[in-house]
Amino acid sequence: MASTKLIGDQSRDEQDQARQKDDQQLILSLPKENGWMPFEYYYYFQGFWCPSDLIQSVNSFQKYFQAKDNDVIVSSLPKAGTTWMKALTFAIVNRNNFPSFDDHPLLKSISHDLVPYFEFNVYGTGDICDRFPQVDSSKMIEPRIFGTHIPFHSLAKSIKKSNCKIIYISRNPFDNFVSAWFFANKARSNHQSLQNLSLEEAFENYCKGITPFGSFWDHNLGYLNESIIRSEKVLFLKYENLREEPILYVNKIADFLGFPFTREEKNNKVIENIIDLCDFQKMKELEVNKSETLMQNIDNKFFFRKAQVGDWRNYFSSLMEEKLSKVVEEKLGGSKIKLEWPLHTSNK
C-alpha cells in the first residue's frame, strides 16, 4: 500500500487500525460457512461469499484504490483460466518492452507475480501480508495490469468511474468446479492435519453458490451485464472459445486494450509467438512453475493441471450432471441474458 500520510486528524495507519477493528466486528455478524482452502471460512459479505482473511483487504481496496484510465484489470472466478489470461494480457500489452520471446519475463516468473491481485498483493492485510508478496501499485510501470476475483459490484468506485479496461474470463461451471476442487485439495495436502475435501461435499456447496468470491452465476452475470452496457470498458470472454480460436481472440484482446497488432506484426507472426509463449503445457514445464512457490503453502505447480475442455466428464456422475444443469437453468434461464458455455470444444 501507499506510504502513510495524514488524512484529516488521523494518519493512514491509524485509520487502518480503526477499520480493522470495525471489520472484525462486522465479520462476527456475518453468515459463515466452511471454506475450501486450508483454515478458511467464507463469510457472506457484500452479497458474495468472501474468504475470511480477505474482507479487510476488499474494504481497503474499495476505499483507497485510485484507478487510472490506462489501467488494465483481468477478472475471473478462481480456476477459470486466470493464470493463462494474465499471461496473455501481460504479453500483449508489454510486447514492445520485451520484444525477445527467448528472454521474456513469463519464462522466469509465473503470471501471478507479474500481474498482482488487488485483494492479495496490493491491499493485503494481516496474515495475507505474510503469505503473499506485497506490491506498491504507485510504483508499477504503466500501463498497470492487475488481477482480481472480486465481483463487479464490489470493485472500487474509481474503477467504475474511470476509463480503465476490464477483461473477464469465464469458464463453464462444470470444468470450473472440477479445477477448483483439485486446487483446493492440493493446497490442503500441504497441511497434514487436513483431510481432502470430498467431491460430494464440494459439489453440494458449489450448487448452493457457496464458493469463494460468489456463485458462478452471480459472478458471471455481473461482468456480462456490464460488458453489454459498456462494451468499450468490459470484454467478456469464454475460456473455451479462446482455446478453440486463440489467434482470433488474442487479436480481439489487443484491439480492445488499445494495443492493436500492426500489419507488420501479423506478417511476422507476433500473435502466434505470444500464443506459443503462453501455451499452457509450455508454462507448466518451466522450472519456475515446477519448483517455486507463489505464496505460503501454494506451489506454482498447483496452478497447472490439464486445462482441458470437457474434463469434468471424467468426474461427474449422471446425477451430478443433471443437478448442476438444472441449477444453471434455474439461475440463468429466467434472466434476460442467458449464459451458454461450449462443453465439447476440441483441444488443439
Side-chain angles (χ1 to χ4, degrees):
M1 291 178 63
S3 59
T4 302
K5 61 181 179 180
L6 292 179
I7 305 175
D9 294 328
Q10 290 181 306
S11 70
R12 171 69 60 82
D13 284 343
E14 289 172 338
Q15 287 198 339
D16 284 346
Q17 290 173 7
R19 175 172 286 276
Q20 288 175 11
K21 291 182 180 179
D22 290 341
D23 289 342
Q24 290 168 2
Q25 290 298 317
L26 170 65
I27 289 172
L28 294 175
S29 69
L30 296 173
K32 180 176 72 172
E33 293 284 350
N34 288 326
W36 292 24
M37 299 295 284
F39 311 116
E40 185 180 79
Y41 287 104
Y42 297 158
Y43 289 89
Y44 198 66
F45 167 73
Q46 295 187 0
F48 69 98
W49 290 100
C50 185
S52 54
D53 51 4
L54 293 181
I55 290 178
Q56 293 177 3
S57 300
V58 173
N59 275 334
S60 294
F61 158 63
Q62 292 172 340
K63 184 175 180 62
Y64 299 127
F65 181 68
Q66 295 301 313
K68 298 182 179 181
D69 287 339
N70 65 342
D71 284 343
V72 175
I73 300 167
V74 176
S75 183
S76 67
L77 276 172
K79 308 310 299 172
T82 317
T83 306
W84 185 34
M85 181 53 67
K86 281 186 172 185
L88 286 171
T89 303
F90 182 88
I92 292 168
V93 171
N94 290 289
R95 65 184 185 272
N96 290 328
N97 296 329
F98 308 106
S100 173
F101 290 99
D102 295 324
D103 188 33
H104 197 280
L106 282 166
L107 299 176
K108 306 170 185 176
S109 302
I110 191 170
S111 62
H112 299 297
D113 276 336
L114 301 171
V115 181
Y117 283 104
F118 288 126
E119 58 270 30
F120 299 117
N121 308 109
V122 183
Y123 291 97
T125 59
D127 291 342
I128 291 293
C129 292
D130 297 327
R131 291 161 48 200
F132 293 83
Q134 296 301 293
V135 174
D136 185 345
S137 61
S138 68
K139 296 181 180 178
M140 291 174 63
I141 297 174
E142 296 187 20
R144 304 179 302 180
I145 310 175
F146 299 98
T148 190
H149 292 315
I150 298 171
F152 182 82
H153 70 266
S154 287
L155 294 179
K157 290 182 180 179
S158 68
I159 291 177
K160 300 174 185 178
K161 292 179 180 179
S162 74
N163 292 320
C164 71
K165 303 286 189 177
I166 300 173
I167 298 176
Y168 185 81
I169 183 72
S170 169
R171 191 178 190 183
N172 80 75
F174 298 83
D175 281 328
N176 178 229
F177 162 72
V178 171
S179 185
W181 173 61
F182 266 100
F183 184 82
N185 277 335
K186 286 177 182 177
R188 294 169 73 94
S189 69
N190 279 351
H191 298 270
Q192 294 182 356
S193 61
L194 293 179
Q195 295 181 340
N196 276 352
L197 183 67
S198 72
L199 180 68
E200 293 74 19
E201 180 184 357
F203 182 73
E204 287 303 312
N205 283 340
Y206 194 83
C207 289
K208 294 175 184 177
I210 304 174
T211 51
F213 301 97
S215 67
F216 65 85
W217 52 86
D218 286 337
H219 206 279
N220 275 266
L221 283 178
Y223 282 94
L224 180 59
N225 278 315
E226 195 63 23
S227 75
I228 294 172
I229 296 171
R230 299 181 65 186
S231 59
E232 79 288 353
K233 183 176 184 65
V234 181
L235 178 63
F236 188 98
L237 297 174
K238 293 180 180 177
Y239 174 88
E240 296 78 14
N241 291 339
L242 187 59
R243 288 276 294 168
E244 184 73 10
E245 299 182 275
I247 293 177
L248 172 66
Y249 284 98
V250 167
N251 195 63
K252 186 173 184 177
I253 292 168
D255 287 344
F256 170 75
L257 294 177
F259 292 86
F261 292 99
T262 64
R263 183 184 299 275
E264 181 180 4
E265 285 180 314
K266 292 179 180 179
N267 290 337
N268 290 332
K269 296 190 178 298
V270 173
I271 298 176
E272 289 88 343
N273 287 337
I274 287 176
I275 292 170
D276 180 67
L277 173 70
C278 302
D279 177 74
F280 177 84
Q281 195 61 38
K282 184 172 183 177
M283 290 194 295
K284 184 176 181 178
E285 294 302 319
L286 292 173
E287 187 60 32
V288 65
N289 293 326
K290 291 198 298 183
S291 62
E292 295 190 17
T293 300
L294 175 67
M295 64 194 88
Q296 187 180 38
N297 296 313
I298 302 293
D299 299 338
N300 287 3
K301 62 184 179 183
F302 291 175
F303 291 91
F304 300 90
R305 196 175 71 89
K306 291 184 178 180
Q308 293 180 352
V309 177
D311 183 53
W312 62 272
R313 293 190 176 281
N314 294 317
Y315 303 93
F316 271 51
S317 66
S318 57
L319 291 177
M320 290 172 65
E321 179 179 356
E322 180 181 359
K323 180 169 183 174
L324 186 53
S325 296
K326 286 183 178 179
V327 171
V328 172
E329 179 62 29
E330 175 187 341
K331 298 297 182 180
L332 302 177
S335 66
K336 293 182 180 179
I337 307 166
K338 185 173 181 180
L339 278 170
E340 293 181 344
W341 293 268
L343 302 180
H344 307 288
T345 305
S346 63
N347 292 293
K348 296 184 177 181

